[in-house]
């Protein structure tokens, strides 16, 4: 969230512990100050909200300002600008001990830890400490201080892990140089953001349903209604059958698609089938496999349920020869979408062509004819597929109709993007089913990637 919009931060006592040893060059130290300032900018600063202190250390430890020194954001930012590097040694353990005994103490403006307060220390270092940090960090954590460890450059990762709180992956960060440290400021602005659930608190203007997300929300509608373009109000759908659609897959079964990859392709097809509402009034699915020849696995409308289609896809055997994409496209235009093969007049036609290599024949005429016939063509390429060919097959706007990935294992991600795009109707009620399956699909993709 952008600082200040919906970010109410939980009252926090925040102490930055920054390394200004000899290895940190003056211009790099300036970058640390920018980082500290950025994090402060995203906070709710105030005596009853978040208080900030800074400890600067090298071989000695210097408290730059305590938690009670500055009550306003402007004063804090000014104080940060004035900090100067110390420049010898790296006594990280000593600095953490100082935080426990002094910086977070009541005398310095620390507030007694209650469930409503967080005590947080952000340690920024680029070296190996010359003293031990393990025990003192454990003591700090035991005292209720949450430690984030930020390492830069040649830092020792083991040391960072000894300092940081659990879960480590949320509390240990590493950047290769000080110029990259700024990237992390956004993470911290979010880490301190505890926004109440805006739906629960009624801070929203949705007509029907409110769906919460951290720091924000979106509106949605009950079944049988669709969200209007204002993103807030709902209109009743009539019938609400989900879109009628004739969808044919054209699948490359050439020998360069290895058997294990062919199985992934089947999963990819079934992932998309899963997202459709299949019936004689809604989506129909056909499947054609090609290599040196073209084979119709099943025509549109042969199977009337998702379960049957998926079973047929799983059973498909692998042809394992050449790559005649042009011939396959011609078959799609002349046969697959013909009424005699189950295509319904007046129903949108969508073709999804899947290939992993260069075609051995000429595709231009057939590709053009498919688009001229009003079919919506998607091209999916994996591995050695040729981008120019994919673009030639794809409908306009081309960028939205062709996809490429180097690795078969990532095609489920493409499947997810495709599902949103297959939705043909302009009527949002018709596309409602597409949005529904999106959540199902996310679960599916996660399980495929396990």
């Amino acid at each position: 969230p952008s600082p200040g919009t919906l970010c109410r931060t939980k009252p926090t006592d925040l102490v930055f512990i920054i390394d200004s040893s000899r290895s940190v060059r003056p211009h790099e130290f300036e970058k640390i100050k920018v980082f500290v300032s950025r994090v402060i900018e995203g906070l709710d600063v105030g005596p009853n909200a978040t208080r900030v202190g800074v400890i600067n250390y090298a071989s000695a430890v210097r408290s730059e300002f305590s938690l009670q020194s500055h009550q306003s954001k402007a004063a804090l930012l000014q104080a940060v600008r004035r900090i100067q590097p110390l420049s010898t040694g790296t006594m990280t353990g000593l600095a953490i001990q100082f935080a426990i005994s002094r910086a977070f103490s009541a005398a310095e403006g620390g507030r007694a830890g209650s469930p409503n307060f967080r005590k947080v220390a952000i340690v920024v270092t680029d070296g190996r400490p010359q003293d031990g940090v393990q025990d003192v960090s454990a003591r700090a954590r035991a005292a209720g201080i949450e430690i984030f460890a930020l390492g830069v450059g040649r830092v020792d990762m083991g040391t960072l892990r000894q300092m940081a709180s659990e879960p480590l992956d949320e509390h240990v960060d590493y950047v290769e140089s000080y110029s990259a440290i700024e990237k992390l400021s956004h993470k911290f602005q979010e880490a301190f953001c505890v926004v109440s659930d805006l739906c629960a608190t009624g801070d929203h203007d949705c007509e029907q349903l409110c769906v919460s997300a951290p720091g924000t929300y979106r509106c949605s509608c009950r079944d049988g209604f669709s969200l209007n373009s204002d993103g807030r109000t709902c209109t009743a759908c009539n019938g609400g059958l989900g879109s009628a659609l004739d969808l044919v897959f054209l699948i490359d079964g050439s020998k360069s698609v290895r058997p294990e990859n062919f199985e992934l392709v089947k999963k990819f097809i079934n992932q998309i089938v899963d997202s459709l509402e299949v019936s004689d009034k809604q989506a129909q699915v056909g499947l054609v496999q090609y290599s040196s020849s073209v084979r119709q696995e099943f025509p549109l409308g042969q199977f009337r349920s998702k379960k049957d289609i998926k079973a047929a896809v799983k059973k498909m055997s692998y042809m394992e020869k050449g790559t005649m994409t042009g011939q396959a496209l011609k078959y799609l235009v002349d046969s697959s979408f013909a009424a005699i093969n189950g295509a319904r007049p007046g129903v949108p036609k969508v073709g999804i062509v899947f290939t992993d290599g260069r075609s051995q024949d000429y595709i231009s005429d057939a590709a053009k004819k498919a688009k001229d016939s009003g079919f919506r063509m998607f091209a999916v390429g994996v591995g050695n597929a040729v981008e120019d060919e994919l673009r030639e097959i794809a409908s306009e706007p081309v960028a939205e109709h062709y996809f490429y990935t180097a690795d078969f294992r990532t095609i489920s991600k493409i499947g997810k993007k495709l599902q949103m795009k297959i939705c043909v109707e302009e009527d949002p009620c018709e596309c409602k089913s597409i949005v529904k399956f999106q959540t199902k699909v996310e679960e599916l993709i996660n399980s495929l990637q396990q």
Side-chain angles (χ1 to χ4, degrees):
S2 53
T5 44
L6 291 166
C7 192
R8 309 201 216 359
T9 52
K10 191 171 180 178
T12 301
D13 286 345
L14 171 62
V15 175
F16 288 91
I17 303 178
I18 56 180
D19 171 354
S20 66
S21 55
R22 195 178 306 112
S23 58
V24 184
R25 311 265 182 298
H27 69 277
E28 294 176 330
F29 192 70
E30 287 306 308
K31 292 275 194 324
I32 299 181
K33 285 159 62 173
V34 169
F35 164 72
V36 171
S37 306
R38 282 285 147 80
V39 175
I40 290 172
E41 278 165 9
L43 300 172
D44 238 348
V45 174
N48 301 321
T50 293
R51 303 179 179 186
V52 181
V54 173
I55 298 171
N56 188 2
Y57 75 93
S59 45
V61 176
R62 180 163 81 198
S63 171
E64 295 289 348
F65 52 85
S66 74
L67 289 168
Q68 62 196 5
S69 305
H70 303 291
Q71 310 287 318
S72 75
K73 205 176 280 196
L76 278 174
L77 293 170
Q78 229 171 344
V80 169
R81 279 197 287 277
R82 290 195 293 268
I83 299 174
Q84 293 302 315
L86 301 165
S87 70
T88 49
T90 312
M91 303 297 274
T92 315
L94 193 64
I96 295 172
Q97 181 55 52
F98 181 90
I100 303 174
S101 46
R102 289 268 307 279
F104 283 105
S105 69
E108 304 259 322
R111 290 165 288 187
S114 78
N116 306 333
F117 285 107
R118 288 173 80 179
K119 290 195 277 187
V120 177
I122 299 180
V123 183
V124 182
T125 178
D126 80 333
R128 295 164 187 270
Q130 295 168 311
D131 55 359
V133 295
Q134 192 163 7
D135 297 345
V136 67
S137 300
R139 281 202 301 280
R141 295 192 301 263
I145 301 170
E146 184 180 353
I147 304 180
F148 289 89
L150 264 64
V152 184
R154 292 185 310 275
V155 72
D156 173 47
M157 291 305 283
T159 305
L160 296 180
R161 301 174 73 86
Q162 286 177 0
M163 291 191 279
S165 295
E166 295 283 347
L168 291 179
D169 56 352
E170 286 173 27
H171 290 82
V172 175
D173 279 283
Y174 170 77
V175 286
E176 53 293 341
S177 71
Y178 280 100
S179 40
I181 194 168
E182 224 175 294
K183 287 197 298 227
L184 293 176
S185 56
H186 186 68
K187 168 192 160 150
F188 283 98
Q189 287 170 352
E190 296 210 320
F192 293 120
C193 222
V194 275
V195 179
S196 47
D197 173 334
L198 295 172
C199 292
T201 53
D203 287 337
H204 68 83
D205 53 1
C206 299
E207 186 183 21
Q208 288 189 357
L209 307 174
C210 174
V211 182
S212 233
T216 177
Y217 67 90
R218 62 183 172 75
C219 301
S220 82
C221 301
R222 295 193 291 272
D223 271 357
F225 290 84
S226 77
L227 192 64
N228 297 329
S229 57
D230 62 9
R232 180 176 88 64
T233 58
C234 300
T235 307
C237 294
N238 40 17
L241 274 174
S243 29
L245 179 67
D246 283 347
L247 172 62
V248 176
F249 289 94
L250 209 53
I251 298 298
D252 176 349
S254 60
K255 57 178 169 297
S256 55
V257 181
R258 306 238 152 69
E260 65 276 15
N261 291 338
F262 196 66
E263 289 307 308
L264 289 170
V265 175
K266 290 180 181 182
K267 272 191 177 165
F268 162 80
I269 298 172
N270 280 343
Q271 175 192 348
I272 291 170
V273 170
D274 252 329
S275 69
L276 302 168
E277 299 292 337
V278 174
S279 77
D280 48 3
K281 297 267 187 300
Q282 296 165 298
Q284 295 193 142
V285 178
L287 177 61
V288 173
Q289 185 184 171
Y290 69 93
S291 63
S292 312
S293 57
V294 179
R295 179 170 82 201
Q296 174 169 269
E297 301 287 346
F298 53 85
L300 284 165
Q302 179 180 338
F303 298 113
R304 293 295 169 86
S305 77
K306 250 187 256 207
K307 191 166 136 286
D308 294 346
I309 294 172
K310 288 166 69 178
V313 170
K314 287 203 181 96
K315 282 214 274 286
M316 169 171 58
S317 64
Y318 163 47
M319 293 167 83
E320 223 171 335
K321 295 197 172 60
T323 313
M324 304 294 273
T325 316
Q327 200 184 329
L329 284 166
K330 187 172 179 334
Y331 182 89
L332 183 80
V333 178
D334 298 342
S335 302
S336 293
F337 285 132
I340 192 166
N341 278 318
R344 296 163 294 180
V347 169
K349 309 281 183 279
V350 176
I352 297 181
V353 182
F354 181 91
T355 177
D356 90 322
R358 179 184 288 285
S359 178
Q360 294 168 316
D361 62 356
Y362 178 72
I363 68 165
S364 298
D365 292 348
K368 182 175 185 307
K369 191 169 172 195
K371 289 185 280 192
D372 291 348
S373 309
F375 307 150
R376 195 149 166 224
M377 301 295 292
F378 289 94
V380 178
V382 179
N384 299 317
V386 182
E387 208 146 321
D388 293 346
E389 281 191 10
L390 298 175
R391 299 178 67 91
E392 200 166 350
I393 295 167
S395 290
E396 294 290 336
V398 171
E400 290 186 15
H401 290 81
Y402 93 93
F403 303 89
Y404 172 79
T405 175
D407 183 353
F408 276 88
R409 285 180 307 232
T410 52
I411 57 176
S412 60
K413 288 206 180 77
I414 290 181
K416 185 172 178 192
K417 287 192 189 131
L418 259 174
Q419 286 154 347
M420 290 317 288
K421 300 228 160 88
I422 296 170
C423 190
V424 201
E425 301 297 313
E426 291 304 306
D427 173 1
C429 291
E430 298 286 274
C431 291
K432 190 76 191 286
S433 52
I434 303 277
V435 179
K436 268 214 211 100
F437 77 73
Q438 214 188 339
T439 44
K440 272 191 287 197
V441 167
E442 286 184 16
E443 292 160 18
L444 181 81
I445 287 168
N446 289 334
S447 65
L448 279 181
Q449 287 173 336
Q450 295 305 305

